[in-house]
Amino acid sequence: LHLKFLNKMGLFSFIKDAGAKIFGGKKRAEAEAAKKAAADEAAREVAEQRQDEYEERKGAELENLVNVTWGLGIENLNVEVEDDTAIVYGSTSSRSNKEKAVLVCGNVEGIATVDDRIELVQSAERTTADDTPESTFYTVQAGDTLSKISKEVYGSGGRYNEIFEANRPMLSHPDKIYVGQVLRIPNA
């Protein structure tokens, strides 16, 4: 008997459900896929829970900064953090303290946006809510000083102390500002 071998390549057809069961079969593959999907879902839930706990801690820390560290006295203060956004709730009769609370929350690493939901209310001592004009906000650039900002905003560098006072207690010294920091600029 003489067999002739051909060096021919090609596509060969087989019956896929017949032969050695080395892969464990279709049911095993489905079971493994389901097991992996369940593990992935459990991991996602754990990660989500950890993120929620982290954001709750960040909110509590921001609340502490606003009312304990800086003593701004925002009533019923609640800060919720969602990703890089701080949502600030509460009430105050002081526009200055409302604006400072926003700055305290926003000038924190990891916070890109502050959603200000603090209500400006009438106090017992006043017959109307604080009618002080809203301040403008300024983001510190490289090379800025309070004097330079004052000259740009008010036309005189000598009024830098007004900006410094408007940002106390967040600023401890007029020379201690940093690039990216947002400052309150009281209206002239």
Side-chain angles (χ1 to χ4, degrees):
L1 178 69
H2 184 277
L3 297 175
K4 184 176 179 186
F5 292 98
L6 299 174
N7 285 333
K8 223 177 186 185
M9 301 292 285
L11 186 61
F12 298 89
S13 295
F14 295 86
I15 299 172
K16 73 176 186 176
D17 293 329
K21 308 281 189 230
I22 65 170
F23 300 126
K26 187 176 183 181
K27 288 187 179 176
R28 180 176 172 198
E30 289 172 351
E32 286 178 9
K35 188 176 178 181
K36 182 181 180 336
D40 290 348
E41 176 64 18
R44 188 191 61 73
E45 287 176 7
V46 167
E48 217 172 80
Q49 181 181 2
R50 286 184 181 154
Q51 180 67 23
D52 289 346
E53 290 169 358
Y54 175 69
E55 288 176 350
E56 282 180 33
R57 279 194 317 274
K58 283 172 69 175
E61 289 173 16
L62 289 172
E63 290 170 13
N64 187 58
L65 267 177
V66 169
N67 275 348
V68 177
T69 304
W70 302 123
L72 297 178
I74 305 297
E75 297 290 324
N76 302 312
L77 178 65
N78 181 36
V79 180
E80 296 174 3
V81 176
E82 295 176 5
D83 296 320
D84 62 357
T85 300
I87 307 165
V88 187
Y89 300 91
S91 62
T92 183
S93 61
S94 167
R95 182 177 310 279
S96 172
N97 285 354
K98 172 183 164 77
E99 292 171 350
K100 286 179 180 183
V102 169
L103 290 177
V104 166
C105 292
N107 283 322
V108 169
E109 183 179 18
I111 300 296
T113 307
V114 176
D115 182 353
D116 174 17
R117 298 189 186 182
I118 300 172
E119 184 179 359
L120 192 58
V121 296
Q122 176 177 317
S123 71
E125 299 84 40
R126 296 182 181 182
T127 56
T128 61
D130 186 349
D131 58 358
T132 306
E134 286 187 28
S135 299
T136 56
F137 294 97
Y138 178 84
T139 302
V140 176
Q141 307 295 314
D144 277 347
T145 64
L146 290 186
S147 293
K148 181 178 176 185
I149 297 167
S150 173
K151 183 168 176 76
E152 184 178 315
V153 173
Y154 301 128
S156 167
R159 293 180 65 187
Y160 74 91
N161 203 46
E162 292 176 44
I163 299 171
F164 174 66
E165 290 298 326
N167 288 279
R168 287 180 64 114
M170 286 86 61
L171 292 183
S172 60
H173 191 277
D175 293 333
K176 291 187 176 182
I177 61 173
Y178 56 89
V179 173
Q181 184 176 24
V182 179
L183 301 173
R184 285 179 69 231
I185 309 295
N187 290 318

